[in-house]
Amino acid sequence: MNLKLDFINGDTKKCLAAMALPLMAALFLNMAYNLVDSLWIGNLLGERAYAALINATPVILILNSIAMGASNGVSILLSQAVGAGKKETAEKMITTSLLAAIVFSLGLTLLLELLLRPILGLLGTPDELMPMAYQYLAIYLSGYLAVFLYCYFTAVLRSFGNSVFQVVAILICTVLNAVLDPVFIHLMGFRGAAVATVLSQALCLVFMLVYLARKKCFRLRLQQFDRSLLLPFIAKGVPSAFQQSIPAISTSFLTSLVTGYGISALAAYGITGKLETILFYPAMAFNMALTSIVGQCTGAERYDRARDYMKASLLSGTALLLVLSALVTGFARPLALLFLDSSQAAEIVAVYFRIVGAGYLLNALTNCFLGSLNGMGRPAQSLLCMVLYYLVVRMPLAWLLSHLGFGLEGIWTAVLISHVIAAAASAFAALRQLRDQKAVSTETEKRHL
């Protein structure tokens, strides 16, 4: 496969924009894709059906996070191999990781199908919502292989500097879901939304495979399977998958807390999650772009270029999130009413964004630093940062403030505090790692002189 972008010698701002903007567009289309179910279910089937979808959402978020994180782990090693010009190694990595991805996703699907009811019970799913939430997830799991492989192939393309095709693929998937959802909801009720989602995901994967086959982007040969690469993939993929899953685990925990405040509160929290994607996805795009870009710079031992890209992303991300945060916070109430005709839920959404709004600027900084850490081959450090502010800070603090009588506002305050700690911890870790790697490279050069 030919490189689409020259991250080592190209213009920093242009290369960053060429990589990040298509990813951002793809993620916003993914947001539209995810909003389709919510909008149709909320408007056609009512508050109870929407609350059931919200109870199912944490499991879906975790599954998607595992797929994205594991694929990102592959991207870390593959980007470094591409940056170092090791074509044969890169092809071995693709073959080996693809087979591992298929086996892993099928195994996870089977395991979750068996444990679905206990998992929903742990999430505090009300008895009245359990049948609907179970039906939706059971159908969704049947298409998880397609979700996983789609994430895998987009990660491979990103490793080679191609992030444009992801936009086209998710656009097709979004349109399909938007068209199929009302049809299948009319025919099958709540289950129809899940069926439409699975069908659109499967068709999106087919489109991806056709593109790869026609472009002959890389060759897959079973004899290229290299068992020795499995451990490095696991070493990078597991921390990366867990890292991506931590926010979803946190969301699952907070969902269980919010459930105790009634169906309207649960529906409102689900709406905040949908609106937050407008603010999270640009930051995620910089994270994913920097993983590949910094990975190539690290493979070529150009740490000066890695620093340049980090600075450019911090400036761009902060400016963009400043505008988006102001818009979402200012229009939170009317936006909430698009999902559900409930003034009580809309008020809860508005209060949420008034409290948490400033945290999204910090989240943009956090994602830039974490993406750089991943690209430098240190997903474990990135993981530790996320464990700190999600599992050690956000979840216990939310539980404490809720049980001390601060109610929903106490939970929202815990979210804001965790964003502050996140930005500080990730900045310290990323800047220290970049400094250390540059020092090692300089020392190595001196020894060769």
Side-chain angles (χ1 to χ4, degrees):
M1 178 187 284
N2 295 323
L3 291 177
K4 301 292 183 183
L5 297 169
D6 184 358
F7 298 127
I8 309 301
N9 302 304
D11 180 85
T12 302
K13 292 181 180 179
K14 289 182 179 179
C15 286
L16 178 63
M19 188 67 174
L21 289 178
L23 284 172
M24 211 172 293
L27 288 171
F28 273 122
L29 286 169
N30 187 62
M31 175 191 72
Y33 171 81
N34 289 326
L35 288 178
V36 165
D37 277 354
S38 300
L39 291 170
W40 282 121
I41 289 173
N43 285 283
L44 294 181
L45 300 177
E47 188 175 63
R48 183 168 174 268
Y50 189 79
L53 176 65
I54 299 308
N55 265 119
T57 297
V59 179
I60 295 172
L61 289 176
I62 291 174
L63 286 170
N64 289 344
S65 298
I66 290 173
M68 292 175 63
S71 300
N72 215 32
V74 172
S75 180
I76 292 170
L77 292 173
L78 187 55
S79 295
Q80 292 179 358
V82 171
K86 299 177 181 178
K87 182 178 178 181
E88 184 177 348
T89 300
E91 289 190 346
K92 286 183 179 180
M93 286 182 172
I94 294 171
T95 300
T96 304
S97 59
L98 175 58
L99 293 175
I102 293 172
V103 172
F104 175 76
S105 58
L106 288 175
L108 185 58
T109 297
L110 178 60
L111 179 64
L112 287 178
E113 288 283 8
L114 296 173
L115 299 176
L116 200 49
R117 287 190 184 277
I119 290 172
L120 286 171
L122 288 174
L123 290 174
T125 305
D127 292 340
E128 60 183 307
L129 302 179
M130 178 67 79
M132 298 175 72
Y134 177 83
Q135 284 180 352
Y136 190 94
L137 284 174
I139 295 170
Y140 178 86
L141 282 170
S142 66
Y144 184 58
L145 175 63
V147 174
F148 201 102
L149 291 183
Y150 170 79
C151 291
Y152 170 82
F153 284 120
T154 55
V156 169
L157 289 174
R158 285 198 308 273
S159 299
F160 287 94
N162 183 339
S163 61
V164 176
F165 177 73
Q166 187 173 353
V167 179
V168 180
I170 195 63
L171 175 60
I172 292 173
C173 195
T174 301
V175 172
L176 284 171
N177 199 33
V179 172
L180 294 175
D181 246 345
V183 174
F184 279 90
I185 288 175
H186 177 72
L187 294 174
M188 304 174 65
F190 186 66
R191 291 180 302 162
V195 173
T197 297
V198 169
L199 283 175
S200 60
Q201 288 169 343
L203 291 172
C204 191
L205 176 61
V206 170
F207 180 68
M208 170 78 77
L209 294 175
V210 170
Y211 171 84
L212 293 172
R214 289 187 175 180
K215 294 295 183 180
K216 298 180 180 179
C217 297
F218 46 79
R219 292 181 299 172
L220 290 174
R221 293 176 295 177
L222 288 177
Q223 58 266 36
Q224 287 182 316
F225 179 83
D226 188 346
R227 188 179 301 176
S228 66
L229 291 173
L230 290 176
L231 284 179
F233 281 136
I234 293 172
K236 301 298 183 186
V238 170
S240 183
F242 186 42
Q243 174 188 326
Q244 291 283 347
S245 302
I246 287 175
I249 293 171
S250 172
T251 298
S252 302
F253 180 79
L254 296 189
T255 299
S256 68
L257 290 180
V258 174
T259 298
Y261 292 91
I263 288 181
S264 292
L266 179 60
Y269 184 56
I271 293 171
T272 65
K274 300 301 181 183
L275 293 177
E276 274 187 326
T277 56
I278 300 173
L279 306 171
F280 282 150
Y281 279 175
M284 287 176 61
F286 281 111
N287 185 321
M288 296 163 70
L290 285 171
T291 295
S292 297
I293 293 172
V294 174
Q296 285 199 23
C297 293
T298 299
E301 297 187 354
R302 289 295 305 274
Y303 303 109
D304 57 321
R305 299 292 292 141
R307 181 179 290 273
D308 290 342
Y309 282 111
M310 187 190 299
K311 288 181 179 178
S313 66
L314 289 170
L315 292 172
S316 303
T318 303
L320 178 60
L321 263 297
L322 180 63
V323 175
L324 292 177
S325 296
L327 289 173
V328 172
T329 301
F331 294 95
R333 181 186 291 274
L335 288 172
L337 291 172
L338 293 175
F339 291 87
L340 198 63
D341 186 14
S342 170
S343 57
Q344 183 179 357
E347 176 60 24
I348 294 172
V349 171
V351 172
Y352 178 91
F353 282 105
R354 283 200 297 269
I355 294 174
V356 184
Y360 300 110
L361 295 176
L362 298 172
N363 182 65
L365 302 180
T366 300
N367 271 277
C368 291
F369 286 125
L370 294 183
S372 299
L373 269 177
N374 287 335
M376 287 183 276
R378 295 294 184 271
Q381 290 188 23
S382 184
L383 170 62
L384 288 175
C385 289
M386 297 192 72
V387 167
L388 169 66
Y389 49 80
Y390 276 108
L391 304 187
V392 177
V393 176
R394 179 179 295 187
M395 290 168 58
L397 186 58
W399 181 89
L400 179 63
L401 293 177
S402 175
H403 283 74
L404 286 176
F406 291 95
L408 290 172
E409 292 187 13
I411 299 175
W412 310 156
T413 301
V415 173
L416 176 62
I417 292 172
S418 69
H419 280 308
V420 175
I421 294 175
S426 59
F428 174 78
L431 293 174
R432 185 183 64 175
Q433 182 61 38
L434 185 60
R435 181 194 63 208
D436 291 347
Q437 286 197 342
K438 186 176 181 180
V440 170
S441 179
T442 301
E443 183 64 27
T444 303
E445 289 177 1
K446 289 181 178 178
R447 289 177 182 175
H448 288 297
L449 293 177

